[in-house]
Amino acid sequence: SRFEGGPSDALVALSRSVHFDWRLAGYDIAGTRAHIKALQSAGYLTVAEHEKLDRSLVELLGRVQQGSFVAKPSDEDVHSALERGLIEIAGVELGGKVRAGRSRNDQIATLIRTYLLDQANEISAMVIDLVEVLVSRAEEHLGVAMPGRTHFQHAQPVLLSHHLMAHAWPLVRDLERLDDWRKRAKLSPYGAGALAGSTLGLDPALVAAELGFDGVTQNSMDATASRDVV
């Protein structure tokens, strides 16, 4: 209402992210399934409403995986597209209740963490495969000498097996760094909200457990404490 017209086509195109964040669709739906469980636990949804919404989300996930549900040009991002899909299945009144108690900040921060944790597992598996190949090749060439090089010149001879393992150990340290990162990343940010949480009494720990997190972030705990004080 503050403007006489809508944004320009160029600005709309700049704001759209669905062409690259569609990969997050499955994670977004998983987050929504956890969220509606928290809504039902807090008494905002009846058991029947929760069951219908959950069935609708499972159906939506199936449509996404089969390619029968895709984003439209009018969808700004994966989140708005999936919200539209859920409402098409569950109806406006029930589908609209999913927005209750969850900010878009919560939604995005939580699902991106779940995505990155899965990607870290895939990267770790590939790094382990590479390390195993290097170790295997080193074992096959025990005692084989090769020229060492330094400053682009030949240097003292070294063992090929040692040279291969010199590449393996840094990769092992990369795996250790990924493990350290997981310890910090496996805390759910859900519940922090756009500012100070929600007054619906939703349980961030419930959502964290549903999504496989080890706990919740300090921001989520602070927001929950702030809500309880209010």
Side-chain angles (χ1 to χ4, degrees):
S1 61
R2 292 177 295 168
F3 304 99
E4 295 180 356
S8 68
D9 293 340
L11 183 59
V12 171
L14 181 64
S15 300
R16 293 185 77 245
S17 59
V18 72
H19 55 290
F20 63 82
D21 65 14
W22 190 249
R23 73 188 69 182
L24 302 175
Y27 298 93
D28 188 275
I29 292 173
T32 301
R33 293 184 71 188
H35 174 65
I36 63 171
K37 189 165 186 177
L39 288 175
Q40 191 268 320
S41 179
Y44 187 77
L45 293 174
T46 66
V47 173
E49 286 176 328
H50 171 262
E51 290 176 349
K52 182 176 180 179
L53 275 173
D54 196 58
R55 288 195 304 269
S56 299
L57 287 164
V58 171
E59 181 179 342
L60 178 59
L61 178 61
R63 293 184 185 183
V64 169
Q65 292 172 338
Q66 295 164 10
S68 59
F69 180 83
V70 296
K72 293 182 177 180
S74 57
D75 292 322
E76 181 181 8
D77 51 33
V78 62
H79 322 291
S80 56
L82 293 175
E83 184 178 280
R84 172 178 58 81
L86 176 60
I87 289 174
E88 288 175 2
I89 298 172
V92 175
E93 183 176 351
L94 183 57
K97 288 188 175 183
V98 171
R99 289 189 176 187
R102 178 175 67 174
S103 74
R104 181 59 61 88
N105 296 359
D106 269 354
Q107 191 174 4
I108 295 173
T110 304
L111 72 90
I112 285 179
R113 284 206 183 197
T114 55
Y115 170 80
L116 290 176
L117 285 164
D118 275 356
Q119 293 301 303
N121 290 337
E122 292 188 20
I123 292 170
S124 293
M126 290 188 287
V127 172
I128 290 172
D129 287 343
L130 178 55
V131 169
E132 290 177 346
V133 169
L134 289 169
V135 172
S136 176
R137 294 295 179 270
E139 291 175 341
E140 291 173 4
H141 298 90
L142 291 175
V144 176
M146 63 173 285
R149 295 183 67 87
T150 179
H151 296 84
F152 303 105
Q153 300 180 47
H154 287 296
Q156 67 195 81
V158 297
L159 292 176
L160 175 57
S161 56
H162 288 180
H163 180 74
L164 291 170
M165 292 303 295
H167 291 285
W169 287 114
L171 294 171
V172 172
R173 290 194 292 273
D174 289 338
L175 292 171
E176 293 171 348
R177 293 184 183 101
L178 281 169
D179 285 339
D180 289 339
W181 174 80
R182 284 190 191 92
K183 293 174 185 177
R184 295 190 296 272
K186 288 203 74 174
L187 296 175
S188 170
Y190 175 93
L195 178 63
S198 163
T199 58
L200 292 183
L202 305 185
D203 183 3
L206 185 155
V207 174
E210 285 292 306
L211 294 175
F213 286 102
D214 292 337
V216 299
T217 63
Q218 187 63 48
N219 285 344
S220 298
M221 290 189 286
D222 289 344
T224 301
S226 175
R227 176 202 70 203
D228 293 340
V229 169
V230 173

